Amino acid sequence: MKIRSLFKGAATALLAVAALAVPLSASHAEQGDRTLTVATMWEALPLSMKPRRSRFFNESEILDTLIKLDFDMKLIPGLATSWKRETPTRWSFTLREGVKFHDGSDFNAAAAKYSLERVIALLPYASDLLNIKAITAVSDAVLEVETNAPFAALPNQLTDAITVIYARASFDDKGAFVKPVGTGPWQFVDYKKQDRTVVERFDGYWGDSPALDKIVYRFIPDHNARALALETGEVDFVVHLLPSDVQRMEADDKLKVYKEPSAGLYYGAFNAGEMSPLSDSKVRQALNLLVDRDLLVKGALDNIGKPAWKFFPAAFPWSSDKVSSYRFDPEAAAVLLAEAGFEKVDGVWSKDGAPLELRIVSYSSRAEMSVITETMAALLAQHGIKSKIELFTWAGMLDKVKQGAYDVSVVFWTPEMTGHPDLHLKSQFHSQAGLNYQNWSNPEFDALVDKGRGLDVGPDAMDVYIKAQQILQEDAPIIPLVHKIYVAASNSGVEGYKVHPSGFFYNFKAVSKK
């Protein structure tokens, strides 16, 4: 029983005093170990409100979103119990009643309006994501949202972790972020820089109460050290394992390994600008034909992944067999390279006497990234295309990309993070998108994506997105590489864990320890 329980009122205090009458060691023995220690790849910075941190607030369930995604990536109620499109640009949301923030304040429409407006003001990405013109608290239980244009994807976008609902206590008097105060099953209690973030169970949570008392998120960036921490008992749970560690852990009966397909994708983003040989779509298409994804997954990832020949995985509801798929075909690639003015000299594709050599940038902080990047380059080298690989931190790689000092950046994204294609087709590939660092522009693609976001789910919207995906395949601003298999592991005493396909949601409220 936690000491904090003593402060929850007289009745609770009496019960707590009674509990303290039991010898402490016996009390702990009865309750078991209710602290879960988790080794993470990223540092969970709870005192910073940048997009990555918002994702931690959501995946650790300190804060809730209005709408959530179930384990089939379908929309389910969160802090909103229902939603309705009243007009092409106006939505109403019925909110869950009786919900309290961790500081005891009420969650209602005014609180949701305040939070969403704060998020939009502080994070430009949120403004692009939500496309909101105005928010109105109609009553405590009804929130109305007017969008700048018809926007069918709004409920899906409101599942994005960046839209989590903050209490006013999360911000100071000037509106600056202070710390995460939300409505989730876990409340933030402590943070030590470069070491750990600690959350404790929130007994006033509106949903099913967690079985655990506390979760300690340990920051262990070294991939080998993170796995070793589990094997030596330093931590209970570890995420983002190296493929080389998985088979060994699976053979250890003291451990459990969790492997499930996720919405994540590793891909190479091409610089389609004039300063890169990849400005020619024929060269981009040729690269797509020269990398054997089956071999990549087998050789680099011990088959922990699925070969990606298209942007969206086949299981995604918006994916379609009507969208053509690349295949490994060196002969077809050779034809395209010849049409682009290259010739093969001494086994190397060259143009005007200069070899085709690609500047490939990536980042090493994600477990599988280095080996995927290096294997892709090796496979291209087998077919006469040289590469120079540079690995950075994520920020360092992004600086290079923004400068245009690259030909291919190997990155990881979650294409169907919100269960709707608008998120990444719009934010990643639209010519006006803030995240389109690829210098790629296709007016027909832009028009389809702009049209699709206004259409309700149905055959018309599906047809539009099939055409947009086909352009993405044919004009090839990217090379899809691997659809991620999410891998985590725990000691055998951990029970109830299930991989969420978004890859952004731990769901530890369903977990217990023996």
Side-chain angles (χ1 to χ4, degrees):
M1 184 69 70
K2 293 293 167 188
I3 296 300
R4 57 186 168 79
S5 298
L6 292 168
F7 300 96
K8 295 199 176 290
T12 305
L14 288 172
L15 290 172
V17 169
L20 289 174
V22 178
L24 186 61
S25 58
S27 177
H28 282 184
E30 290 173 3
Q31 294 174 9
D33 182 3
R34 294 184 178 176
T35 295
L36 187 75
T37 303
V38 181
T40 66
M41 181 173 63
W42 310 105
E43 185 182 19
L45 293 168
L47 307 184
S48 171
M49 189 180 155
K50 294 180 179 179
R52 168 60 205 157
R53 307 291 80 81
S54 299
R55 304 215 180 284
F56 171 71
F57 301 155
N58 182 61
E59 68 190 356
S60 64
E61 294 188 280
I62 299 175
L63 289 87
D64 289 312
T65 48
L66 292 180
I67 302 171
K68 295 175 179 284
L69 292 167
D70 68 9
F71 282 82
D72 294 318
M73 297 293 282
K74 295 179 180 175
L75 298 179
I76 56 173
L79 289 175
T81 56
S82 64
W83 46 95
K84 182 179 180 182
R85 193 179 187 183
E86 305 286 358
T87 73
T89 60
R90 184 164 57 86
W91 287 83
S92 66
F93 298 85
T94 301
L95 305 184
R96 195 177 295 277
E97 298 185 66
V99 174
K100 296 284 187 181
F101 286 106
H102 300 155
D103 66 339
S105 61
D106 292 329
F107 166 76
N108 52 32
K113 168 183 163 64
Y114 172 82
S115 179
L116 290 173
E117 290 178 343
R118 278 281 77 209
V119 166
I120 291 170
L122 293 174
L123 302 173
Y125 171 71
S127 179
D128 291 341
L129 176 78
L130 297 173
N131 195 25
I132 288 177
K133 180 179 180 181
I135 303 174
T136 304
V138 178
S139 67
D140 280 355
V142 178
L143 185 76
E144 194 170 274
V145 175
E146 186 79 20
T147 56
N148 290 306
F151 191 32
L154 181 63
N156 292 83
Q157 310 301 62
L158 286 170
T159 69
D160 189 294
I162 207 168
T163 70
V164 287
I165 300 299
Y166 297 84
R168 286 178 182 266
S170 301
F171 306 91
D172 64 17
D173 292 341
K174 296 180 181 179
F177 178 72
V178 178
K179 66 176 184 178
V181 180
T183 58
W186 306 101
Q187 56 186 336
F188 166 74
V189 293
D190 193 21
Y191 163 66
K192 289 183 172 58
K193 187 176 181 180
Q194 295 283 298
D195 183 47
R196 67 188 61 201
T197 297
V198 181
V199 301
E200 286 185 352
R201 186 182 64 225
F202 173 50
D203 290 331
Y205 178 54
W206 54 268
D208 294 336
S209 182
L212 298 166
D213 288 335
K214 180 190 293 184
I215 301 176
V216 179
Y217 292 95
R218 290 279 313 281
F219 172 52
I220 306 179
D222 183 89
H223 307 313
N224 293 306
R226 201 163 55 250
L228 188 62
L230 176 67
E231 292 174 305
T232 58
E234 181 181 347
V235 303
D236 303 301
F237 194 95
V238 60
V239 292
H240 299 295
L241 293 167
L242 288 170
S244 55
D245 291 327
V246 172
Q247 189 172 9
R248 182 181 74 254
M249 289 189 173
E250 287 179 324
D252 188 337
D253 59 10
K254 296 188 297 298
L255 303 177
K256 293 179 182 177
V257 174
Y258 312 87
K259 292 189 297 185
E260 294 290 340
S262 79
L265 172 73
Y266 290 93
Y267 69 90
F270 294 152
N271 182 357
E274 294 181 356
M275 299 300 291
S276 171
L278 301 181
S279 61
D280 190 329
S281 63
K282 292 183 184 296
V283 183
R284 301 195 297 265
Q285 293 163 1
L287 262 60
N288 266 287
L289 294 164
L290 284 177
V291 176
D292 186 340
R293 273 63 140 201
D294 297 301
L295 191 57
L296 174 65
V297 169
K298 182 179 180 181
L301 301 177
D302 292 341
N303 283 320
I304 304 174
K306 290 184 176 296
W309 299 96
K310 295 191 287 191
F311 189 63
F312 293 122
F316 183 50
W318 293 87
S319 184
S320 171
D321 291 339
K322 295 179 181 177
V323 178
S324 62
S325 179
Y326 281 101
R327 65 190 186 287
F328 176 57
D329 191 340
E331 292 182 0
V335 172
L336 288 166
L337 288 170
E339 290 177 355
F342 289 87
E343 61 177 342
K344 208 166 190 179
V345 180
D346 297 329
V348 176
W349 287 101
S350 303
K351 189 174 186 179
D352 301 326
L356 176 55
E357 182 170 355
L358 301 175
R359 297 165 294 175
I360 300 177
V361 297
S362 189
Y363 54 103
S364 56
S365 50
R366 184 171 282 279
E368 304 99 330
M369 191 61 81
S370 298
V371 68
I372 289 175
T373 302
E374 290 162 359
T375 304
M376 181 192 74
L379 293 173
L380 288 173
Q382 288 181 357
H383 299 284
I385 296 178
K386 295 184 175 182
S387 298
K388 180 182 178 182
I389 297 175
E390 296 178 272
L391 295 175
F392 302 92
T393 62
W394 165 255
M397 185 209 70
L398 197 57
D399 283 343
K400 287 287 183 183
V401 169
K402 289 179 178 177
Q403 295 166 18
Y406 80 107
D407 296 309
V408 185
S409 63
V410 182
V411 295
F412 176 86
W413 287 102
T414 307
E416 65 272 37
M417 183 188 300
T418 65
H420 194 284
D422 178 76
L423 175 62
H424 280 286
L425 295 185
K426 179 71 174 180
S427 67
Q428 204 81 37
F429 302 114
H430 193 285
S431 62
Q432 302 302 311
L435 297 179
N436 182 354
Y437 302 123
Q438 301 161 155
N439 305 303
W440 180 68
S441 175
N442 186 305
E444 187 180 358
F445 175 87
D446 285 357
L448 288 165
V449 171
D450 289 341
K451 181 179 179 180
R453 59 180 8 209
L455 299 175
D456 287 323
V457 174
D460 291 345
M462 187 69 194
D463 183 59
V464 164
Y465 283 116
I466 287 174
K467 291 176 181 174
Q469 290 176 68
Q470 185 60 36
I471 291 173
L472 203 62
Q473 286 291 100
E474 293 176 354
D475 211 15
I478 62 168
I479 175 171
L481 295 169
V482 180
H483 295 299
K484 183 177 176 63
I485 298 290
Y486 189 93
V487 181
S490 74
N491 64 49
S492 59
V494 172
E495 296 183 330
Y497 179 73
K498 183 179 178 183
V499 174
H500 193 277
S502 71
F504 287 111
F505 191 56
Y506 289 128
N507 196 34
F508 285 143
K509 64 178 179 295
V511 167
S512 61
K513 289 176 67 178
K514 287 194 291 188

